[in-house]
Amino acid sequence: MNPWVVLKLLRPHQWLKNLLLFFPPFLGGSLFLPGVWQKGLAPFIAFCLASSATYVFNDLRDCESDRVHPRKQHRPLASGAVSPTLAVGLAVGMLAVSLLLGSTISLLFVGWLLAYLGLSFAYSFALKDQPVFDIFCIASGFVFRVFAGGAAFDVKVSDWLFLTVLLLAIFLSCGKRLSEKQLLGEASADHRKVLKGYPPGTLEGFMYISGAAVLVTYTLYVITNHRLVYTVPLCCFGLFRYLLIVKRGESGDPTDSLLKDPVMFLVGAAWTVMVGVSLYL
């Protein structure tokens, strides 16, 4: 078995989402204090293993529909490069290690990890076919990572951070669904049944509403720290850029957009640097 094919099955590029675990201490100004960031290594690994396991189970369920998708048909399970038996064994092993590692951190962290896993399995086996429910399931996964990070670092997640992450995740989730609907056209329902439940213009409307809400909420969040207020134009630019990417028919996957679009990558890097300089220098 080609190890690169197995690694592809785990979707390591999606581990980027698990950096949300570091948001509470980063935005709280404590991440780079002596010994703090090291506390996030075990939680990060635990969530990477858990998220990869959920991706494997999701691919197992979607194997047939992925074969009619122009891009997803090349995934290891859909293409037959990895057997279902191997995939199940690998996913169960990763879940076990993830929970074992999580138990060494704190009970509260394990609770958020279990909540993430429960939601992910509910999404994969039922809710992904229900309009609106599917969007909120994806968005909640981002929020659970933030609260798990707060538990791991013993940092309280503010109400404003919770609202900003939730609304931004909803915005990105709507963009992902819209890009799939545009890419697949009339065959979209054959690949993802839930797309049939979104009438024309609905997902665009959801994006406009949630995007505007993100901008307002983030502004109210940073206005309590005047050093961060200059990141608001950058946030606005990033929202507009992502909307442009989706409407142009490119991939709406947030990770793909960040890694493959040079402008989005620079916006993300610039935001990180600006926040870091404002909080730590």
Side-chain angles (χ1 to χ4, degrees):
M1 177 63 64
N2 188 337
W4 292 110
V5 175
V6 176
L7 184 62
K8 184 180 179 181
L9 176 68
L10 305 184
R11 303 191 210 175
H13 65 286
Q14 297 289 355
W15 294 345
L16 190 67
K17 298 174 183 176
N18 297 322
L19 291 176
L20 283 168
L21 291 162
F22 294 90
F23 265 42
F26 176 63
L27 293 172
S30 62
L31 181 61
F32 297 114
L33 294 177
V36 173
W37 71 265
Q38 292 90 335
K39 292 171 62 177
L41 295 179
F44 180 76
I45 294 172
F47 255 86
C48 287
L49 293 172
S51 58
S52 287
T54 62
Y55 294 143
V56 172
F57 283 118
N58 189 64
D59 285 355
L60 282 166
R61 183 188 182 278
D62 290 348
C63 215
E64 293 302 321
S65 60
D66 282 348
R67 292 192 175 109
V68 302
H69 192 283
R71 181 168 51 86
K72 296 180 180 180
Q73 64 180 324
H74 302 296
R75 286 179 174 175
L77 282 169
S79 65
V82 174
S83 69
T85 303
L86 175 62
V88 170
L90 186 61
V92 170
M94 287 190 297
L95 282 177
V97 175
S98 173
L99 291 172
L100 183 63
L101 190 58
S103 67
T104 67
I105 300 166
S106 73
L107 286 177
L108 184 57
F109 176 82
V110 173
W112 284 113
L113 182 60
L114 288 172
Y116 169 79
L117 288 170
L119 182 72
S120 297
F121 288 126
Y123 168 80
S124 293
F125 294 101
L127 297 177
K128 70 186 305 177
D129 295 330
Q130 303 300 318
V132 182
F133 282 97
D134 66 316
I135 290 173
F136 273 79
C137 280
I138 298 172
S140 296
F142 288 84
V143 175
F144 288 174
R145 287 176 171 95
V146 172
F147 278 101
F153 289 97
D154 196 23
V155 175
K156 185 181 184 300
V157 176
S158 72
D159 295 338
W160 289 117
L161 179 58
F162 156 67
L163 287 173
T164 301
V165 172
L166 174 64
L167 292 168
L168 178 60
I170 290 173
F171 173 76
L172 296 173
S173 302
C174 291
K176 183 178 181 181
R177 285 289 181 264
L178 179 58
S179 69
E180 290 175 337
K181 194 174 181 68
Q182 293 177 155
L183 176 65
L184 297 170
E186 295 181 357
S188 61
D190 296 331
H191 167 67
R192 195 180 292 281
K193 286 188 286 187
V194 74
L195 295 178
K196 188 177 181 181
Y198 291 111
T202 303
L203 289 168
E204 288 95 329
F206 289 170
M207 285 192 74
Y208 300 148
I209 293 171
S210 56
V214 169
L215 195 55
V216 171
T217 308
Y218 180 73
T219 302
L220 291 173
Y221 171 59
V222 302
I223 209 167
T224 59
N225 186 333
H226 295 294
R227 291 173 297 176
L228 296 179
V229 79
Y230 297 104
T231 64
V232 173
L234 201 59
C235 172
C236 184
F237 185 92
L239 293 172
F240 286 2
R241 179 68 183 183
Y242 179 74
L243 184 58
L244 177 64
I245 289 172
V246 172
K247 293 296 289 182
R248 286 196 309 204
E250 300 174 27
S251 174
D253 184 282
T255 308
D256 287 346
S257 298
L258 185 62
L259 294 177
K260 295 181 180 180
D261 182 75
V263 176
M264 283 295 291
F265 181 82
L266 288 174
V267 168
W271 179 86
T272 304
V273 170
M274 288 179 68
V275 173
V277 169
S278 298
L279 294 179
Y280 294 92
L281 294 181

